[in-house]
Amino acid sequence: DAGITQSPRHKVTETGTPVTLRCHQTENHRYMYWYRQDPGHGLRLIHYSYGVKDTDKGEVSDGYSVSRSKTEDFLLTLESATSSQTSVYFCAVQGVAKNIQYFGAGTRLSVL
Amino acid sequence: DQQVKQNSPSLSVQEGRISILNCDYTNSMFDYFLWYKKYPAEGPTFLISISSIKDKNEDGRFTVFLNKSAKHLSLHIVPSQPGDSAVYFCAASAWDDMRFGAGTRLTVKP
C-alpha cells in the first residue's frame, strides 16, 4: 500500500465550513497527489506536490488548497466547503517506477 | 475534456471466460498507459502498464494491448475469476500529467 494513510476516512460537514484532509506516507516519496473520484469522471487531479513546500495545481483545483511542510504529510484544505465538493478523495504517491502512482484508501466527504 | 475514455460503464462475463476492457485516448503525447483495479471502499491498485514503444505486455492472466494508430488500449483477463469483479480504470500519462478514464465495472459470474 506504499505506506499511505488518509485521515479521516469519512467526514460529513456543512456548507461553508473549512475542511482539511490529511495524507501521511512513511516511505519518503517525493511526489504526492490529491485526486477526487466522481461517477462518470473517474479520478481527477486536484493538486500535486513535488517536494516540501513545492506544489502545483491540477485539473480541478478551484476551491482547494494544499500544503506540504514535511515530506511525509500532504494536506488538502477546502476553505469553504460546497455541496459540489462531496466526493471521494484519494491521495497518491509516485513510486520508484516513475509513471506508476500508488493510492491511499480514500476519504469519503459529504457536504450537506 | 476527457482525454481518456472508457465507453463501457459495465461488463459482465462468466467465470473462466475472457474479459476485455477497452479504453480510448485523444492526446498523442501520452507515452505510458496503465490499468488500475478498485474494490469498494479501497483505493485503486496498480495492475499492469505498457510503454508506448510496445504493443503488448503480459503478466499472468492479464494482458494489455496498445494500438497507437487507433489511440486504443485494452485489458484482457483470461481466465476471468469471481475475485476479478471490481472497477477497472485505465490511465495515460505524459511527463507529469496522468489522466484517468471513468472506469468500467467488471462482474464475473460464478
Side-chain angles (χ1 to χ4, degrees), chain B residues 42-109:
Chain B
E42 296 183 9
T45 56
F46 169 71
L47 188 58
I48 192 169
S49 62
I50 187 168
S51 165
S52 60
I53 62 173
K54 296 185 176 181
D55 55 16
K56 177 183 176 182
N57 188 29
E58 193 172 352
D59 184 2
R61 296 185 298 113
F62 302 91
T63 303
V64 56
F65 295 91
L66 176 63
N67 182 334
K68 282 176 55 181
S69 61
K71 295 190 177 66
H72 177 82
L73 67 153
S74 60
L75 174 68
H76 292 210
I77 307 173
V78 183
S80 301
Q81 300 174 353
D84 296 328
S85 296
V87 176
Y88 289 78
F89 292 99
C90 70
S93 72
W95 301 103
D96 289 328
D97 185 17
M98 184 176 289
R99 301 293 175 120
F100 288 81
T104 296
R105 181 178 301 277
L106 173 66
T107 302
V108 181
K109 298 179 178 179

Side-chain angles (χ1 to χ4, degrees), chain A residues 35-86:
Chain A
Y35 289 89
R36 59 179 289 174
Q37 184 203 353
D38 304 289
H41 290 278
L43 293 147
R44 292 181 292 173
L45 181 65
I46 304 170
H47 282 278
Y48 68 99
S49 169
Y50 46 96
V52 173
K53 297 189 179 175
D54 291 323
T55 65
D56 206 347
K57 296 178 179 180
E59 186 184 1
V60 290
S61 60
D62 287 349
Y64 302 94
S65 63
V66 290
S67 66
R68 191 163 177 206
S69 58
K70 298 184 291 185
T71 298
E72 57 266 35
D73 288 323
F74 191 30
L75 304 180
L76 177 71
T77 297
L78 292 65
E79 301 290 347
S80 177
T82 67
S83 58
S84 65
Q85 293 175 312
T86 292

